[in-house]
Amino acid sequence: MSAEATNPEARSEARPELRRRGRTRLDLRRLGRAALLGPTSRDRLPDAIGHVAEAHRAHHPDADLSILRRAYVLAESSHRGQMRKSGEPYITHPLAVTLILAELGAETTTLTASLLHDTVEDTEVTLDQVREEFGDEVCFIVDGVTKVEKIDYGAAAEPETFRKMLVATGNDVRVMSIKLADRLHNMRTLGVMRPDKQARIAKVTRDVLIPLAERLGVQALKTELEDLVFAILHPEEYEHTRALIAAHAGERDPLPAIAESVRVVLREAGIHAEVLVRPRHFVSVHRISRKRGELRGSDFGRLLILVGENADCYGVLGELHTCFTPVVSEFKDFIAVPKFNLYQSLHTAFATSDGHVAEVIVRTRQMHRVAEAGVVALGNPYATAAATAATAATAAAAASGATAGSAEACADPYEERVDPTRPGWLSRLLDWQQSAPDPDTFWSVLRAELAQDREITVFRADGGAPATISLPGGASCIDAAYAQYGEAAHGCIGARVNGRLTSLTSRLSDGDTVQLLLAHDASSGPSADWLEHAHTPAARIAISSWLKAHPDGAAATTTAARAPLSVVGARGGGGNAVADLPDATVRLAGCCTPVPPDAVAGFVVRGGAVTVHRVQCAAVAQMRSLGRTSVAVHWRATADCRVTLLAESFGRPHLLADLTEAIAREGVEVVSATVEPPVEQRVRHSYTLQLPDATGLPALMRAMRDVPGVYDVSRA
């Protein structure tokens, strides 16, 4: 199935794949009614699933179709007499859902479960029967897509159904694949319902199903769902976009000629590639029209270039950028850095001599399959493990003489299964949903989580497992703390990002290395301010629960911000610094406390004195912007110097004494020291020290860091 098409209503009528394989359009209404006319002989495939079998064999030539025949017979007989609101026999729905998945390349187990996905929910068929006839795997998937009973859950039935599906998806992503195909067919046939119900279903599709399709990489389903939702929720804008596309259809399209030029360039370069013109779907045209205003002919589509190997992608890129004028801002490399939903491609754009700009996607054929079908293209990565588990379960049942179990038995092969391909966003959903027993909270937080359209990966500095943490874009150190430590993160008091001390509220970037600092005091807890900087549901739920359970503690932790650091001691001395200005008084700046052999800069201030700063100090740029006179400064040959150090530590008894002793052991004189009041279990000390030799400064800082409880020592 193509991920992009110009008219969503025409997709099922004119799929290029069907035309290439010589298949006629599948009339599900006719086939569904024909299926009710009588039983099919046991030695041949029912005509109603002939198109499903043909699409399946196109991706899996050696597939055993006998299980599909048995699944269809059970589905058709159990749904017999049921009709859809459109007047069609109900069997047309599971047939359509199964055909969607077959064209995406789903394997046989998925198609079997798809044919049966409504039997347990809408007929007398039980999960026990499904398991006995088709095995534990099919039973688990069917159970995963089966809605919870509304009579038991009332208004919470919909969010609890999605919760159930998400938990099942954590063990088998094929559950959500069937749900997405099911929703796509329902959206295609939504016109028979009342407008208010259409809008309600479309909003849930927009807020939950489309983001899930994006995260699972199933672009073929995502783009069509977007167009169908667009038509229902924004009819005026949809009609405007339809008019734009219709007007473009009557004009000359420059993209075919550009595609031919690209074919010539690649052929001459000896690169075997297939160059296709991909029309944009409705929502894509709408977005680009809002971005660019008036559209040109080349804006209604993109070029898709398919090659054999990864190296060929970069070869194509080199030829395009050599023979055409590249638009540098449009280049993105999703091969070296894939998206979190498995997507890999090179994106670029170039301008032609006649002023057209063509956007280009370059990928291998395997990348194309994954880009279109996402997790559906991966099949079942646990085929061997699942088969082994099923065999063991069968043998154990036979040895004990056990009969068919309940619905819980369907999940047994999955209990010890950990999916190494499970994306970070799904792991986060599975974690925080356990802490959200309230259906309304779960439903609202789920939508907020799925609204995050970007994911980052940060690395743990402690080397623990797992080595990486996946977080939504915009996440802070607070989110990383709860992702790594769970409720133990209540005692987190700070973090180092890429080796530098920072606050917990600092936002993280993709690839950052994070070390989280926990307090020794078990009674410490989060501040209410953390909620403003927490982006993940797990962090927000945990913080809110703690604050609710500790109202006094919450009030205590929301103390005023730390007062500015006050360093006591003489600053007038110039130490070993000498300015190239006769009779000038030299002072070492207290903001950066330079020491030999720091590179320094001097500036004349009021009164004719020269203040000496390290060249990296922010005050240097400020002095220059104010037009202060710059003076050359150098260090005397004498080695002694004065410096101010800041020590960050956890609060504990005797800490000041231990730090002072460590300083004394290094033979350093303490000129002055200040200790600020504790804030969130952290204490800041400042020491102005006279060193006999500046070369001893690194050793002194190491000795101070070695004092228990001290986690950072830095220059002022």
Side-chain angles (χ1 to χ4, degrees), residues 58 122 160 269 282 416 426 462-463 548 565 615 629 638:
D122 295 332
E160 290 301 331
F282 270 52
E416 302 300 324
L426 182 54
D462 58 6
K548 185 176 180 180
L565 178 65
V615 294
T629 304
T638 54

Side-chain angles (χ1 to χ4, degrees), residues 21 29 31 56 74-75 82 110 125 132 134 155 162 216 247 265 290 332 427 433 512 537 543 547 558 601 694:
R21 296 170 186 158
R29 181 185 297 220
L31 291 175
H56 187 39
L74 176 59
Q82 294 179 348
T110 303
V125 174
E132 290 171 4
F134 300 99
F162 273 99
L216 294 173
V265 168
R290 296 185 63 182
K332 297 181 179 67
S427 295
Q433 65 86 24
D512 282 345
I543 295 168
L547 293 175
T558 56

Side-chain angles (χ1 to χ4, degrees), residues 215 339-340 422-429 431-432 449 452-460 466-486 497 504 506-516 533-540:
R215 280 157 174 71
K339 289 186 178 182
F340 65 89
R422 178 189 292 172
W425 63 266
L426 182 54
S427 295
R428 291 198 304 273
L429 287 179
D431 290 340
W432 68 255
E449 168 77 0
Q452 302 283 348
D453 59 355
R454 191 170 64 88
E455 183 160 306
I456 63 172
T457 300
V458 298
F459 298 87
R460 292 177 56 175
T468 61
I469 304 172
S470 296
L471 298 167
S476 66
C477 295
I478 294 172
D479 299 302
Y482 282 95
Q484 180 173 336
Y485 293 114
V497 177
L504 284 174
S506 299
R507 292 181 63 171
L508 296 170
S509 300
D510 197 32
D512 282 345
T513 299
V514 182
Q515 179 184 0
L516 299 160
H533 304 279
H535 290 263
T536 58
R540 295 187 63 83

Side-chain angles (χ1 to χ4, degrees), residues 81-345:
Q82 294 179 348
M83 307 296 285
R84 304 195 78 213
K85 290 185 181 296
S86 60
E88 299 169 323
Y90 197 88
I91 190 61
T92 59
H93 172 64
L95 274 172
V97 173
T98 306
L99 180 61
I100 290 170
L101 293 168
E103 290 183 332
L104 288 173
E107 37 73 59
T108 309
T109 301
T110 303
L111 301 186
T112 303
S114 176
L115 284 168
L116 301 169
H117 78 272
D118 276 339
T119 53
V120 174
E121 182 181 322
D122 295 332
T123 75
E124 298 301 318
V125 174
T126 65
L127 284 171
D128 287 343
Q129 289 175 286
V130 173
R131 181 175 49 79
E132 290 171 4
E133 183 70 20
F134 300 99
D136 289 327
E137 233 177 341
V138 173
C139 171
F140 181 88
I141 298 172
V142 171
D143 185 27
V145 295
T146 299
K147 296 178 183 176
V148 300
E149 292 288 347
K150 194 164 186 177
I151 193 172
D152 296 328
Y153 289 88
E158 185 171 39
E160 290 301 331
T161 293
F162 273 99
R163 188 202 296 266
K164 176 187 174 187
M165 288 181 186
L166 281 173
V167 173
T169 300
N171 284 319
D172 199 321
V173 294
R174 293 173 294 181
V175 172
M176 193 56 67
S177 300
I178 293 176
K179 177 59 182 177
L180 291 171
D182 172 72
R183 179 55 60 95
L184 175 57
H185 183 246
N186 284 333
M187 288 295 296
R188 286 175 177 174
T189 58
L190 204 60
V192 298
M193 293 188 175
R194 300 189 315 271
D196 60 321
K197 193 167 185 179
Q198 290 184 37
R200 185 186 66 80
I201 295 174
K203 287 177 182 177
V204 174
T205 304
R206 176 196 63 194
D207 296 343
V208 180
L209 274 303
I210 289 176
L212 285 172
E214 169 73 14
R215 280 157 174 71
L216 294 173
V218 195
Q219 297 296 320
L221 304 186
K222 180 225 174 190
T223 52
E224 187 172 351
L225 284 171
E226 281 184 328
D227 284 348
L228 294 167
V229 167
F230 183 43
I232 292 173
L233 298 183
H234 306 282
E236 293 181 0
E237 295 178 359
Y238 177 82
E239 288 303 324
H240 174 69
T241 306
R242 178 198 287 274
L244 286 177
I245 294 173
H248 168 69
E251 300 173 353
R252 176 182 168 274
D253 189 349
L255 285 178
I258 298 174
E260 184 56 34
S261 300
V262 172
R263 292 188 191 100
V264 171
V265 168
L266 298 182
R267 190 161 52 243
E268 291 176 351
I271 300 176
H272 298 285
E274 183 179 1
V275 183
L276 306 172
V277 176
R278 299 260 288 184
R280 294 182 184 274
H281 62 103
F282 270 52
V283 171
S284 180
V285 171
H286 173 67
R287 287 172 181 161
I288 202 168
S289 67
R290 296 185 63 182
K291 177 181 178 182
R292 299 179 182 173
E294 185 177 353
L295 298 182
R296 298 165 296 184
S298 57
D299 291 332
F300 288 86
R302 290 183 286 190
L303 299 185
L304 172 65
I305 302 178
L306 301 178
V307 294
E309 304 293 336
N310 286 20
D312 294 334
C313 294
Y314 294 97
V316 168
L317 184 70
E319 293 299 324
L320 293 179
H321 286 190
T322 301
C323 300
F324 302 95
T325 303
V327 181
V328 179
S329 61
E330 295 293 329
F331 173 68
K332 297 181 179 67
D333 188 345
F334 294 118
I335 295 178
V337 186
K339 289 186 178 182
F340 65 89
N341 61 357
L342 311 177
Y343 180 87
Q344 287 184 286
S345 291

Side-chain angles (χ1 to χ4, degrees), residues 579-602:
D580 293 345
L581 190 65
D583 301 324
T585 301
V586 179
R587 297 174 180 172
L588 299 181
C591 56
C592 57
T593 57
V595 298
D598 292 340
V600 291

Side-chain angles (χ1 to χ4, degrees), residues 662-678:
I663 294 170
R665 282 199 302 266
E666 297 297 316
V668 176
E669 176 188 352
V670 178
V671 178
S672 65
T674 61
V675 181
E676 298 181 19

